[in-house]
Amino acid sequence: YEGGHRVPYIVQWPGITPSGVTCTEPVLGTDLMATLVALTGGELDDNRINDSFNILPFFKEEKTSENRIYYTVQSAGKNPYVAIWENDLKLILKTEKTNDKVLVPTALFNITKNPYEYEKDNLIHDAEYKFKINQLIDKYNEIKNIEE
């Protein structure tokens, strides 16, 4: 389920980004939209899918108080997998064949303890995480503006 989330993102911006600095925050391609809007002084439309995050604070080594939730489509096609992750937990959801608004939880990984997402450490059936799985599904629906 990895999907290339560990590909380096290199930035050189003299006078803004200090040289030799490493940021461990994941950055997604969709983040460019919110970042460019912030650079130009614009605003994102609240009625659009909220899957972009302004990464300018990362370039300037500024801390952000915003709790980042990551969302990606893991595979394209008729029934794609999607991933949403927050802090150490990454939830993989598969869309249902007959209704793409119905999501089937497929895997839950602690990406700090299991960065390679080994199936033997899949937490999807662990009762301790049932609430968190439902919470992440709700957050996914909120991001995608899906009404139940």
Side-chain angles (χ1 to χ4, degrees), residues 110-136:
N110 181 316
I111 56 176
T112 300
K113 294 179 182 176
N114 182 14
Y116 300 108
E117 301 175 11
Y118 293 123
E119 192 61 35
K120 69 179 181 66
D121 296 318
N122 186 347
L123 304 169
I124 199 70
H125 299 295
D126 188 327
E128 177 184 342
Y129 293 97
K130 184 171 177 46
F131 177 79
K132 188 61 179 179
I133 290 167
N134 290 330
Q135 189 180 45
L136 286 170

Side-chain angles (χ1 to χ4, degrees), residues 2-35:
E2 170 49 34
H5 305 312
R6 289 167 186 50
V7 176
Y9 190 92
I10 300 170
V11 173
Q12 181 179 357
W13 192 354
I16 301 294
T17 303
S19 61
V21 173
T22 301
C23 176
T24 59
E25 291 290 328
V27 174
L28 305 176
T30 56
D31 294 335
L32 289 176
M33 183 175 73
T35 304

